[in-house]
Amino acid sequence: MKQPESQGKDTVEFSSPESWGQLHTELLQSTVNRVYTRVPFYRKAMEKNGIKPDIIDSALDLYALPFTTRKDLSDNYPYNFFAVPLRDIVRIHSLRLGISQPLALGYTKQDIEHRRGLAIRFLTSCHVIPEDIVQFCLDPGLAVKACDLAEGAEALGALVIPPDPLSTDARIRILADFKTTTIVTTPSYLVYLLAKIPEMGIPLASLSLRRAILVGESLADALRDNLEVEFGIQAISAYGIMEAGGPCLAYECENRQGLHVAIDHVIPEIVEPGTDKVLPAGEAGELVITTLTARANPLVRFRTGDITRLIKEPCACGRTTWRIMPVVSRCDALISVRGVLLDSTLIEKFFEKMAQKKLDFVIIVKNRQGLQSVEVWVSVSSEFFTGSLPDLHNWIRIAETAFEEVFGIGCIIKPVELETIARWLSTGQKVVHL
Amino acid sequence: MLQIRNLHIKYGSVAVVKNISLHVQTGEIVCLIGANGAGKTTLLSAISGLITPAKGEILFEGVNVAGLAPFELVRLGISQSPEGRQIFSAMTVMENLHLGAYLRQSKEERADVAADLDWILRLFPRLKERMTQIAGTLSGGEQQMLAIARALMARPKLLLLDEPSLGLAPLLVESIFKTVLELNAKGLTILLVEQNATKALEIAHRGYVLETGRVTLQGSANELRQDSEVQRAYLGKDYSRITER
């Protein structure tokens, strides 16, 4: 049979601007038609503003639609954001970021196929081949991201070492023994790992590692240069959010002029933080994502909280997909530590629950050999400290274990005098980077 | 080849098609599936010029053809095989076929028309046997073949096929769909409206699902075939059959 023009997935990233316009209009119209009839949150929000689905004539009409926040997702936990019956959902990811209730994200078989397709697209652009050995070194809080990438790498035929809660020493042993060629990790952990390898008596030159796929955090240019020049490791950065599109939502091509967004699956916008004003391409603001192909959890104008810029001009690589610049900051209460998002307000509630009373504390994000870690400095007030040191140590041990379980990342709890943290408490600063 | 943008169609004050956008690329078979009254046939009728849309664009090879008369659209390369065949019952098969080439009457085109007739009769040998028969006396399957053959006599670039399997026995349905695939293999682009979603999704490249005048889902035929909602609503697979498989 004669193959239609531009039918394959490989060519979609090179579509003409006119084709993107048509595709966006079609997919946005069907998405809005679906959410209006199937997701009560959107129907209510649209009716409140007097909006009917028929007003969407192109992607330019997005601005008329309501926003979705993480809080909306949490408020509608567990089922109310699903646009398909529960029996059509084959996977659920639960995220707990900073809100009292967790978020539940559902995926149909087709959603999973799309995510795997995006992972394959990204890994193919990184030139991952069946002969590659792909090792994942990610914190439990990022393990969900690893899931799609690992499936994509397996589909390409590569040997995959999935994320395990192993010590750094054990990970290095595997890296050396199994001759890992590609590592998937965060930039900060990679720096830490490369510093630790020689300490274990393993010469860096003996490793087969030649490619690092860096997720969870932005990759600084200086670090990339260092990795490539000093260690001979090609560093490739990807951006993703679990709520919309998954971990391979945007990725770098060989030109490294921003990250190509999968605009056949989502439409990105840039909005002024704290307001509803849409900013023109090129200006920095909050990234807002509308899904176009999600079946179980279609999201309209989801506020990511990430600050970036959008570039709509075609890239020198030939791809016409829009690009975003690396995310440098956030505009909400979330803190990114080794790619894991933590909410200071939830941490506050966590300690209040653990201590059965309100505590004075400060979250300290430390940077040791490039690797971020979290410490919580708790003021030992007279109401909290009963005078028994063993009791205090016991409480700290229990709280540290509970913290890791709840937030997916370890922390050290340090009892301190009120005076030590008073300077930050007095200015209302909850998070301190040291 | 065909791009429809924000099309609205009304019957009097009743909106039947409410802001539909879709496209068909050269060489594709694209199917529209949906329940009765979803607006599928109305949409095809607007593309072939039988209905004038209230609003929106129908771009055929980059030119907005919305509102053009049917004969102008046939001349541009859009030909329709209508629902319920609508052949000229009192005329012979031969006369029906010649009417399909009504706009190709010039001397220069005569040889081409004769060659097309020859090709079409090879495609539908049953019609060759019945050239002098009155069309109204043909069987349902033969009438459907005649309706498609008549549309092909205009030598279209885009063939609009409305319910080609309607009222036909399963074996005849197979035969009609096989012919549709053959036509596509020869390069003909096809927009297919079909109640028999299973069959339509077997031969199509992509599809759109229409619900009460709006597109609610689109994707590759394979994606739509696998979609639980499509399976339940249009492929006759209810919950129990899905779980029993």
Side-chain angles (χ1 to χ4, degrees), chain A residues 153-179:
Chain A
E154 279 171 2
L156 284 175
L159 191 159
V160 173
I161 303 165
D164 287 316
L166 296 175
S167 66
T168 299
D169 287 3
R171 283 170 172 169
I172 291 172
R173 177 63 51 210
I174 290 173
L175 192 93
D177 292 347
F178 286 90
K179 303 196 182 325

Side-chain angles (χ1 to χ4, degrees), chain B:
Chain B
M1 175 176 270
L2 178 76
Q3 285 173 306
I4 293 178
R5 290 182 190 158
N6 310 317
L7 202 70
H8 294 254
I9 303 170
K10 286 181 176 176
Y11 288 140
S13 60
V14 182
V16 183
V17 166
K18 304 160 194 166
N19 207 17
I20 282 185
S21 300
L22 58 84
H23 72 281
V24 183
Q25 294 180 56
T26 306
E28 272 189 315
I29 300 178
V30 172
C31 68
L32 306 179
I33 55 175
N36 269 337
K40 309 184 296 291
T41 296
T42 305
L43 187 59
L44 277 203
S45 303
I47 300 169
S48 60
L50 296 169
I51 299 174
T52 306
K55 214 172 121 187
E57 288 181 323
I58 301 171
L59 300 176
F60 182 66
E61 295 186 319
V63 181
N64 188 7
V65 297
L68 288 190
F71 75 89
E72 292 172 299
L73 290 160
V74 171
R75 198 168 270 149
L76 286 173
I78 301 176
S79 190
Q80 183 173 9
S81 164
E83 183 181 6
R85 297 118 201 186
Q86 299 187 22
I87 51 165
F88 301 103
S89 312
M91 293 182 172
T92 64
V93 169
M94 171 74 98
E95 286 165 339
N96 267 280
L97 290 174
H98 277 299
L99 275 172
Y102 185 77
L103 295 172
R104 303 168 69 197
Q105 300 294 329
S106 68
K107 271 186 190 169
E108 301 80 47
E109 284 176 305
R110 266 183 213 159
D112 285 347
V113 171
D116 284 352
L117 182 63
D118 195 41
W119 167 65
I120 286 165
L121 292 176
R122 276 203 307 274
L123 200 65
F124 298 106
R126 292 280 282 277
L127 296 181
K128 192 173 185 179
E129 295 162 16
R130 288 160 168 71
M131 285 297 270
T132 53
Q133 196 170 321
I134 297 296
T137 64
L138 294 175
S139 70
E142 288 162 351
Q143 288 189 12
Q144 186 60 61
M145 288 174 197
L146 179 57
I148 298 175
R150 186 182 56 185
L152 292 175
M153 284 298 286
R155 198 186 266 192
K157 295 172 191 164
L158 171 67
L159 177 65
L160 309 175
L161 266 181
D162 198 353
E163 304 284 5
S165 77
L166 196 71
L168 299 187
L171 267 179
L172 276 171
V173 174
E174 285 293 334
S175 155
I176 294 281
F177 276 77
K178 200 171 144 239
T179 309
V180 172
L181 270 178
E182 276 178 45
L183 290 169
N184 178 251
K186 287 192 160 52
L188 186 65
T189 307
I190 295 163
L191 180 57
L192 171 68
V193 161
E194 185 53 69
Q195 289 266 338
N196 187 341
T198 314
K199 277 276 149 218
L201 290 172
E202 263 174 32
I203 64 162
H205 296 101
R206 290 189 302 113
Y208 292 84
V209 178
L210 267 64
E211 270 178 35
T212 59
R214 295 185 175 104
V215 175
T216 53
L217 193 60
Q218 67 267 74
S220 71
N222 194 34
E223 278 178 345
L224 293 179
R225 260 202 312 270
Q226 308 282 330
D227 190 278
S228 305
E229 218 168 287
V230 173
Q231 288 184 345
R232 280 195 297 274
Y234 308 109
L235 303 183
K237 293 179 182 171
D238 60 15
Y239 282 125
S240 58
R241 285 182 61 184
I242 293 168
T243 48
E244 278 164 15
R245 254 187 312 150

Side-chain angles (χ1 to χ4, degrees), chain A residues 105-370:
Chain A
L105 304 168
Y107 307 91
T108 64
K109 250 192 291 185
Q110 202 176 317
D111 290 331
I112 297 212
E113 279 301 317
H114 284 156
R115 286 191 172 220
R116 188 184 295 130
L118 284 178
I120 291 171
R121 185 193 285 178
F122 169 44
L123 293 169
T124 307
S125 87
C126 299
H127 306 292
V128 170
I129 52 170
E131 285 70 29
D132 272 309
I133 295 157
V134 184
Q135 183 177 352
F136 289 79
C137 296
L138 293 168
D139 286 308
L142 278 177
V144 183
K145 288 200 176 187
C147 188
D148 291 334
L149 271 166
E151 281 182 15
E154 279 171 2
L156 284 175
L159 191 159
V160 173
I161 303 165
D164 287 316
L166 296 175
S167 66
T168 299
D169 287 3
R171 283 170 172 169
I172 291 172
R173 177 63 51 210
I174 290 173
L175 192 93
D177 292 347
F178 286 90
K179 303 196 182 325
T180 298
T181 59
T182 303
I183 188 167
V184 182
T185 187
T186 58
S188 54
Y189 190 75
L190 182 62
V191 170
Y192 177 70
L193 203 65
L194 291 173
K196 285 283 281 184
I197 291 170
E199 285 175 23
M200 284 179 66
I202 300 170
L204 283 168
S206 70
L207 297 177
S208 304
L209 191 63
R210 60 170 182 271
R211 184 186 300 118
I213 293 174
L214 300 168
V215 297
E217 298 166 347
S218 287
L219 173 63
D221 286 344
L223 175 58
R224 186 208 301 278
D225 292 347
N226 189 30
L227 287 171
E228 300 200 336
V229 175
E230 199 170 320
F231 298 99
I233 297 171
Q234 186 197 5
I236 309 140
S237 176
Y239 169 84
I241 48 165
M242 288 320 294
E243 293 87 347
C248 305
L249 186 67
Y251 65 86
E252 282 182 319
C253 67
E254 58 277 12
N255 286 299
R256 292 163 182 177
Q257 297 291 317
L259 298 100
H260 288 274
V261 183
I263 58 170
D264 48 336
H265 291 275
V266 300
I267 302 183
E269 292 172 279
I270 298 292
V271 173
E272 193 174 70
T275 74
D276 295 353
K277 191 181 160 199
V278 179
L279 297 174
E283 282 193 28
E286 183 181 1
L287 180 66
V288 170
I289 296 282
T290 298
T291 63
L292 295 175
T293 54
R295 298 282 288 116
N297 258 139
L299 293 181
V300 175
R301 307 191 83 198
F302 177 73
R303 299 195 82 130
T304 64
D306 287 325
I307 303 289
T308 182
R309 286 187 291 122
L310 187 63
I311 303 165
K312 292 191 175 176
E313 286 81 39
C315 177
C317 72
R319 287 179 181 85
T320 52
T321 44
W322 303 345
R323 287 165 287 153
I324 52 169
M325 296 314 285
V327 172
V328 284
S329 59
R330 297 192 54 83
C331 61
D332 52 22
L334 298 180
I335 322 155
S336 173
V337 179
R338 301 206 298 266
V340 179
L341 293 177
L342 301 172
D343 187 308
S344 52
T345 52
L346 186 67
I347 294 177
E348 202 169 331
K349 281 185 190 155
F350 169 82
F351 278 106
E352 200 175 324
K353 196 174 156 201
M354 290 302 295
Q356 303 287 320
K357 54 177 73 82
K358 220 169 163 56
L359 294 182
D360 289 323
F361 69 91
V362 170
I363 302 156
I364 308 283
V365 180
K366 280 196 166 176
N367 204 321
R368 184 168 49 95
Q369 284 183 288

